[in-house]
Amino acid sequence: MFDRDAVLRWIADDPDEATRAELTELLAKASPGSDAEAELADRFAGFLQFGTAGLRGAIGAGPNRMNRAVVIRTAAGLCAWLADAVGPDFSVVIGCDARYGSEQFARDTAAVVTAAGGRAMLLPPRQPTPVLAFAVRHLATDAAVMVTASHNPPQDNGYKVYLGGRAVTGSGQGTQIVPPYDAEIAARINAVESVSAVPRAESGWTQLGDEVRQAYLARVVSLVPAGGRPGLRIALTTMHGVGGDTVLRALRGAGFDDLHVVDAQFEPDPDFPTVAFPNPEEPGALDLGLELAQRVGADILLALDPDADRCSVALPMRSGWRQLTGDQVGWLLGEQAGQDAARSGGGVLACSIVSSRMLERIAASHGLEHAYTLTGFKWISRVDGLVFGYEEAIGYCVDPEFVRDKDGISACLRVAQLAATLAGEGETLADLLDRLERRHGAHATAPLTIRVADLSRIERVMAGLRARPPAELAGSPVAESADLSDGWRGLPPTDALWFRTEVDDRVVVRPSGTEPKLKCYLESIVPVEGDLQDAREQAAARVAAVRADMQRLIDAAG
């Protein structure tokens, strides 16, 4: 059921003709038991929640969707918080990707900031998220907004908020929001009673040109030593997103000239027509890239997600092309960063608690510190002394001084540099992976993801696992378990469970922060005392057994 009067009030307050008409049509069709009634009930089940991931949801009319009314309300709440935190002269830089509604949402944000007395700077449309994350530090703004749903389905959009300038201090400058800022901003948003009453300027913001992206490109290219990269043939796909031109300019600027792109996926397209799901991690998403790589005889395939903050890598192997896991790319970049940091005076390597424990061993081998954080780059990128951070979901922060977020474009350059350097020594990235596992143990990782139609199932499973945690996994007793909702090892509280067995298998269970999923992250480590392949097979068998046990436990719990 839905409140008809609430729908009518929303229609009267909605500034957008298209979404007013959308709701009016639904209301006319909403007979008892109809699909329209169920749709309205969902759209008015509450407001789209603003949290540490900002906003993310399906585009459509109503408070539980992404639309102009929700964005204007959110921008007004952010401005109210900024005015309290830094004063009426606050500044905000705003960017957007190529999804439906993104450009309008960005302009609405600029209009609200300007009317509130703040200084709004609007990037050109269709910008990669890393350019916006660079801009907040480059321009020293107090906040930044990126309108994007990253790798979500075409029907979604989102709204990320970063704080910088005078709003925060220390390593948090330029990162996405974390508690308590999310709750404080959410409270200001909830205090907005009428969207139509929110002042919006018709002009007065600064329309930036390409200068910020050019500064970003200069910085990214500087991460790779000068000189050509002869012989490295790169295949590239940008997944119908906004990173194509920028990553090509970056690679060419760093001396990589033998580049081959998937033309069908190069131009931004909010429908993502050639992929079922625009995420390089999803099965089939890299099919066109792999076909191109094989056809041109590439040495490496690089892939960006639609807003270019994530990077995936595939390599030619004896058995054919193979996509590396997010952890494996993290090992490669971590080893590269560890070598550089050891030569230049130290630093910290960091990864999320759901990522592989290999990075901790890599850091120790170079005499460096290592830190675990909660999931998300809002936590990874604010680690003091960070020189490299990653999470298994193909996110990598290789230049935290300038971009305190995951950045697929700079990660592409660093991977390409590493591949070219190894090629000059007669080796490959696969050879480096072999060396790392011989030195630190064969690490097998695997996901177990439960997509749900009913979010209450996630709550039931988490409650069941808390009440009846596993006594053993894959035949090994559970030696340690922790409920992270109370905080753990100095980390802030989060809704997650952590288990480690006597033979060092590890499981982390948590609800997804952006999708209706329960996610389990599994890892088994086997020391390499003889043949590497044997150790890898043992580790893979162990992690498969852990996965089967966790599936049974989850089924029983909910």
Side-chain angles (χ1 to χ4, degrees):
M1 295 293 293
F2 65 93
D3 184 338
R4 185 181 182 86
D5 289 340
V7 177
L8 291 171
R9 286 194 300 272
W10 183 272
I11 292 172
D13 196 40
D14 190 335
D16 189 85
E17 181 180 350
T19 46
R20 289 198 306 270
E22 186 180 325
L23 284 179
T24 300
E25 183 178 354
L26 276 173
L27 196 59
K29 295 178 179 178
S31 58
S34 66
D35 290 343
E37 181 189 53
E39 181 68 16
L40 283 170
D42 183 57
R43 292 181 184 221
F44 283 80
F47 280 98
L48 198 62
Q49 290 299 303
F50 181 89
T52 56
L55 296 174
R56 194 172 294 189
I59 300 166
N64 197 27
R65 295 290 188 270
M66 279 294 297
N67 52 63
R68 293 185 65 199
V70 167
V71 165
I72 290 166
R73 187 170 177 268
T74 301
L78 174 62
C79 289
W81 184 88
L82 286 167
D84 289 343
V86 304
D89 61 338
F90 62 87
S91 58
V92 184
V93 60
I94 305 152
C96 68
D97 65 9
R99 285 177 179 266
Y100 289 114
S102 287
E103 193 170 348
Q104 180 66 61
F105 296 161
R107 284 199 304 270
D108 283 334
T109 301
V112 172
V113 171
T114 302
R119 185 162 56 99
M121 288 163 274
L122 189 61
L123 289 171
R126 299 187 167 196
Q127 292 291 313
T129 292
V131 172
L132 185 280
F134 172 84
V136 66
R137 289 181 59 75
H138 179 69
L139 300 173
T141 60
D142 299 313
V145 169
M146 182 67 192
V147 182
T148 180
S150 188
H151 58 280
N152 272 40
Q155 64 267 25
D156 288 359
N157 213 327
Y159 197 88
K160 293 182 179 180
V161 175
Y162 300 73
L163 295 179
R166 297 165 295 169
V168 292
T169 59
S171 59
Q173 280 203 337
T175 65
Q176 290 186 59
I177 54 172
V178 297
Y181 306 117
D182 58 339
E184 294 172 358
I185 295 170
R188 304 305 199 283
I189 295 169
N190 293 337
V192 177
E193 295 182 357
S194 168
V195 173
S196 59
V198 173
R200 283 182 286 139
E202 294 187 2
S203 62
W205 55 84
T206 300
Q207 179 62 62
L208 299 169
D210 201 37
E211 63 274 12
V212 174
R213 188 178 71 126
Q214 291 301 323
Y216 166 81
L217 282 167
R219 175 61 193 177
V220 169
V221 170
S222 76
L223 300 177
V224 178
R229 306 290 164 189
L232 188 70
R233 178 164 294 181
I234 299 172
L236 176 72
T237 178
T238 53
M239 208 66 65
H240 300 294
V242 294
D245 182 73
T246 304
V247 72
L248 280 183
R249 288 175 183 266
L251 286 164
R252 287 172 178 149
F256 297 99
D257 295 320
D258 195 353
L259 302 172
H260 303 262
V261 301
V262 178
D263 292 331
Q265 296 178 331
F266 186 74
E267 293 297 328
D269 189 329
D271 290 318
F272 307 106
T274 68
V275 290
F277 202 97
N279 180 353
E281 293 182 288
E282 292 291 323
L286 291 191
D287 284 356
L288 292 181
L290 292 169
E291 289 173 13
L292 172 68
Q294 187 168 10
R295 185 169 70 250
V296 302
D299 299 300
I300 190 171
L301 169 65
L302 301 174
L304 295 176
D305 75 337
D307 70 329
D309 66 350
R310 301 183 188 218
C311 161
S312 187
V313 177
L315 302 176
M317 304 290 189
R318 291 188 183 90
S319 58
W321 279 83
R322 189 184 85 200
Q323 184 178 6
L324 300 184
T325 68
D327 281 313
Q328 288 172 324
V329 177
W331 304 346
L332 294 170
L333 289 171
E335 175 67 13
Q336 180 188 45
Q339 290 177 358
D340 291 348
R343 286 193 294 264
S344 61
V348 181
L349 306 185
C351 62
S352 62
I353 56 171
V354 302
S355 301
S356 170
R357 291 165 288 173
M358 170 74 86
L359 191 67
E360 182 178 10
R361 300 181 181 202
I362 289 172
S365 72
H366 293 292
L368 303 174
E369 294 181 49
H370 175 271
Y372 286 107
T373 74
L374 299 183
T375 56
F377 273 82
K378 57 186 174 285
W379 299 110
I380 295 169
S381 58
R382 65 180 59 235
V383 169
D384 288 331
L386 183 72
V387 294
F388 170 72
Y390 94 95
E391 63 182 1
E392 50 75 42
I394 61 173
Y396 311 98
C397 178
V398 302
D399 189 26
E401 183 60 27
F402 286 81
V403 177
R404 291 190 175 164
D405 199 359
K406 54 188 178 294
D407 181 351
I409 294 169
S410 59
C412 277
L413 261 71
R414 290 286 281 174
V415 169
Q417 176 201 355
L418 182 58
T421 300
L422 289 168
E425 299 168 355
E427 290 195 313
T428 66
L429 294 173
D431 294 328
L432 179 53
L433 287 173
D434 289 349
R435 285 207 308 276
L436 289 172
E437 289 200 282
R438 287 193 182 97
R439 185 181 308 150
H440 302 302
H443 289 56
T445 60
L448 174 58
T449 302
I450 312 295
R451 183 179 285 273
V452 301
D454 178 5
L455 289 176
S456 67
R457 187 187 174 202
I458 292 177
E459 297 176 5
R460 290 196 304 274
V461 170
M462 293 297 290
L465 291 175
R466 284 187 167 101
R468 296 174 297 281
E472 67 173 34
L473 293 167
S476 178
V478 172
E480 292 182 77
S481 62
D483 183 347
L484 278 62
S485 62
D486 299 323
W488 182 66
R489 298 184 180 179
L491 299 178
T494 190
D495 186 11
L497 299 169
W498 181 91
F499 308 108
R500 187 185 66 81
T501 70
E502 287 184 357
V503 297
D504 211 23
D505 298 329
R506 183 217 64 191
V507 175
V508 182
V509 186
R510 60 179 281 270
S512 170
T514 57
E515 298 176 271
K517 294 177 178 178
L518 180 72
K519 305 183 82 171
C520 301
Y521 306 82
L522 321 172
E523 184 176 42
S524 295
I525 305 172
V526 173
V528 180
E529 298 172 348
D531 182 71
L532 174 58
Q533 187 57 34
D534 285 347
R536 282 175 170 162
E537 290 174 1
Q538 291 176 44
R542 287 207 60 80
V543 84
V546 172
R547 188 179 191 279
D549 283 352
M550 286 304 303
Q551 181 70 69
R552 285 191 290 272
L553 287 166
I554 288 169
D555 290 343

